[in-house]
Amino acid sequence: MSLTGEMLIGAGALRGTGQSFTGYDAASGAALDPAYGSATEADVARACILADEAFAPYRAASPEIRAKFLELAAAKIDALGDALTDRACAETGLPRGRIEGERGRTVGQLRLFAQEVREGSWQDVRLDPALPDRKPLPRPDLRMRMIPLGPVAVFGASNFPLAFSVAGGDTASALAAGCPVVVKAHPAHPGTSEMVGRAVQAAVKEAGLPEGVFSLLFGVGDALGTALVADPHIKAVGFTGSRAGGLALGKIAAARHEPIPVYAEMSSINPVLLLPGALAANGAALGKAFVGSLTMGAGQFCTNPGLLLAIPSDGLDAFVTAAGEAMGDAAAGVMLHKGILAAYEKGVAKLAGSAGVKALGEGHKAEGKAGAAFFGTDAATFAKTPHLADEVFGAAGLLVADADLMALARLIQGLEGQLTITVHMTEDDEALFTALLPVLETKAGRILINGWPTGVEVCHAMVHGGPFPATSDARTTSVGTLAIRRFLRPVCYQNVAEELLPAALQDANPQGLWRRLDGVMTAPV
Ligand SMILES: NC(=O)c1ccc[n+]([C@@H]2O[C@H](COP(=O)([O-])OP(=O)(O)OC[C@H]3O[C@@H](n4cnc5c(N)ncnc54)[C@H](O)[C@@H]3O)[C@@H](O)[C@H]2O)c1
Ligand SMILES: O=CCCC(=O)C(=O)O
């Protein structure tokens, strides 16, 4: 596919007349053709009007039609072949294996949502039949199902150019829910975005769906995102990126005449608790494995393990020695764009210059690349230095080692919300884990044992979410089939005649759904 630099508004393609920009080869810094023109406010309005017009017919399309559309989009992304991998590698500096894996995850995610649409339990149908003879008052016939919210604005993330971008989890879950999507491409990978966008646009056409089901807008600066979130046709927002960006979009959404939900995934340092039994059994191996997770993709994962907590011991010494050695072998990494590299270097310099913080290991350094960094401190220093709990996006980790178990417990209690908390433990640590679990549950969306947080499985039980600032809404996830719930709302139908009811609610159950009948989950017959 040859790139044109055009945005995709419904079935059309046109060049934005706003500020021009290009993608860059992340490794060399060279500008990559073609140039993209930023969308104007009129472009945003047009995409959102088309999305609004598409909403009624799209949500009325049968589950089978929506599922086939998602599968078509997946097939067309697959068919982009090596050209997509080449462009994504160039624009992000991420290694080929990582991008290939991410493409598999992206198309797998679209196919999983197709299955989810067909399976139907997302409609959460509840039927409370009429009780005309109930005393003192009869009960009317009440039936409930979930319906889509309306057009959704999606902001592609810089660090996952496929799985969290144009056809990533936010887009897949919104489309599965029956919501048209207007995507703002991340300006760091416009070529990758155009390729994937054209695949989705072609799938809309082939599926015979209204053109406004999908649009893709390009732009630099804040104006495009601001106009998109403010547009009255948009009913929800999906975002992965910086805390400042997510909060800014949340403010715009809250200030609208009709405020709307912003599902923003923002900032997490993903604490790792190294319990004594695990360190005694495996200290050195854990140290090496930690560096593998920390430095993967130059640390540009929102699940990056940025904070470690432990009680000093011989096992912890072995951990630190092995981690320091592994850091010494860690190559300098290409970061996604210059701004992210600058932010990382500033964050590392701030850690290095903090009183009471010492270097425990560092990776190779190279001009224009990021060197991994590993620091250590104690609980008292952590408590009195609030910025030590801030995310440094990249391969920087901080170990808090303290003999005072209660000080570590208070530290955990004082942490902000997290995407993940990891616990390394053996049977000897079970009593400690059991004591900690109630606190961990209040802090994170996912608690994992004897693993590393990077590498999120896309499945039904996944929660990629968590209390603020991990996300703006702790009740949700942006990965896995549960993500569909963000874009649905319940409607109750009272005393609506059988023949006038939506199919999902009819007595005959033509969609073959599991339904909650008078409170009891009931199989289709
Ligand atoms: N937690 C994560 O998963 C994660 C992922 C990527 C980046 N980051 C963090 O974000 C920093 C910057 O990276 P980025 O460019 O990917 O994220 P970003 O938040 O700066 O931008 C993401 C998207 O939101 C838009 N945007 C941001 N602020 C806006 C505003 N005020 N108004 C309108 N639109 C706005 C941008 O144009 C872009 O399209 C990184 O250094 C890192 O700290 C975090
Ligand atoms: O960067 C955010 C997503 C992280 C992720 O999906 C993973 O670790 O696999």
Side-chain angles (χ1 to χ4, degrees):
M1 175 189 293
S2 56
L3 296 174
T4 64
E6 292 166 317
M7 57 195 164
L8 309 175
I9 299 188
L14 76 162
R15 248 192 86 78
T17 54
Q19 187 182 340
S20 178
F21 68 101
T22 68
Y24 289 91
D25 183 296
S28 70
L32 294 171
D33 284 339
Y36 287 78
S38 295
T40 62
E41 281 189 18
D43 297 324
V44 174
R46 173 86 187 123
C48 294
I49 286 170
L50 282 179
D52 182 55
E53 287 171 2
F55 179 46
Y58 183 54
R59 83 181 183 91
S62 69
E64 185 55 28
I65 288 175
R66 289 221 294 270
K68 285 215 168 98
F69 160 53
L70 294 172
E71 287 166 347
L72 267 174
K76 288 181 186 299
I77 292 167
D78 262 341
L80 292 168
D82 283 347
L84 177 63
T85 310
D86 293 345
R87 181 76 188 197
C89 289
E91 286 184 328
T92 61
L94 292 169
R96 202 166 183 86
R98 156 70 202 279
I99 292 294
E100 281 167 352
E102 199 181 321
R103 177 214 289 256
R105 174 168 162 178
T106 306
V107 296
Q109 192 161 252
L110 285 162
R111 291 180 177 126
L112 183 68
F113 274 108
Q115 281 173 26
E116 184 70 5
V117 173
R118 286 192 181 99
E119 190 270 346
S121 57
W122 55 273
Q123 296 189 69
D124 196 7
V125 173
R126 291 154 189 243
L127 309 175
D128 290 331
L131 300 174
D133 300 326
R134 192 181 68 172
K135 299 284 184 259
L137 289 173
R139 182 172 82 181
D141 182 272
L142 296 156
R143 301 177 187 225
M144 190 286 281
R145 67 166 180 160
M146 303 297 279
I147 68 160
L149 278 181
V152 172
V154 169
F155 286 73
S158 58
N159 60 334
F160 273 72
L162 299 170
F164 283 78
S165 196
V166 174
D170 285 340
T171 298
S173 53
L175 290 174
C179 300
V181 168
V182 181
V183 178
K184 182 207 181 275
H186 197 286
H189 54 259
T192 307
S193 299
E194 185 188 335
M195 283 182 175
V196 174
R198 285 188 182 274
V200 180
Q201 188 189 50
V204 171
K205 187 171 179 197
E206 200 171 318
L209 293 169
E211 58 170 330
V213 164
F214 175 80
S215 289
L216 172 64
L217 303 173
F218 292 100
V220 280
D222 293 345
L224 166 53
T226 303
L228 186 55
V229 175
D231 190 283
H233 299 105
I234 295 296
K235 301 299 178 199
V237 178
F239 169 93
T240 299
S242 66
R243 185 166 176 165
L247 289 178
L249 298 184
K251 271 193 188 148
I252 296 164
R256 289 167 41 129
H257 172 70
E258 178 195 354
I260 54 169
V262 174
Y263 298 108
E265 190 227 296
M266 298 172 288
S267 167
S268 179
I269 55 174
N270 304 299
V272 177
L273 315 187
L274 301 164
L275 300 192
L279 283 173
N282 293 314
L286 287 174
K288 192 168 174 216
F290 156 64
V291 174
S293 177
L294 182 80
T295 57
M296 190 187 290
Q300 299 164 116
F301 281 64
C302 46
T303 45
N304 196 257
L307 178 68
L308 302 160
L309 304 177
I311 297 168
S313 66
D314 291 345
L316 181 61
D317 291 344
F319 178 97
V320 170
T321 304
E325 283 169 12
M327 291 292 284
D329 293 338
V334 175
M335 294 200 83
L336 296 161
H337 59 76
K338 280 185 189 157
I340 285 192
L341 175 62
Y344 174 71
E345 287 175 339
K346 197 169 156 197
V348 169
K350 198 166 172 186
L351 281 172
S354 299
V357 173
K358 61 180 182 204
L360 295 179
E362 60 178 4
H364 288 267
K365 291 192 164 62
E367 184 58 33
K369 292 186 179 180
F374 181 33
F375 297 97
T377 192
D378 56 74
T381 304
F382 190 88
K384 68 181 182 213
T385 320
H387 75 80
L388 295 183
D390 291 347
E391 181 185 43
V392 176
F393 191 67
L398 175 68
L399 167 68
V400 180
D402 206 297
D404 182 350
L405 183 60
M406 289 319 291
L408 290 177
R410 281 195 301 277
L411 189 162
I412 296 168
Q413 186 72 61
L415 287 172
E416 293 188 306
Q418 306 291 334
L419 291 171
T420 69
I421 294 184
T422 301
V423 183
H424 281 280
M425 60 180 286
T426 62
E427 280 180 12
D428 294 347
D429 301 311
E430 281 178 3
L432 184 50
F433 174 77
T434 303
L436 287 170
L437 185 58
V439 181
L440 305 187
E441 287 169 340
T442 66
K443 294 287 166 188
R446 180 164 57 112
I447 296 160
L448 60 144
I449 305 298
N450 294 340
W452 297 97
T454 41
V456 175
E457 183 71 29
V458 182
C459 60
H460 304 291
M462 178 48 65
V463 176
H464 188 65
F468 179 84
T471 75
S472 55
D473 189 337
R475 294 167 295 181
T476 65
T477 171
S478 63
V479 177
T481 52
L482 207 57
I484 197 172
R485 288 208 192 157
R486 298 174 299 169
F487 305 120
L488 297 167
R489 70 178 179 87
V491 178
C492 177
Y493 303 75
Q494 184 168 331
N495 283 343
V496 178
E498 165 76 6
E499 63 279 13
L500 301 179
L501 281 167
L505 303 181
Q506 290 168 5
D507 288 341
N509 195 6
Q511 294 183 352
L513 301 170
W514 280 80
R515 306 192 294 187
R516 197 155 168 200
L517 180 58
D518 231 348
V520 179
M521 195 51 88
T522 308
V525 282

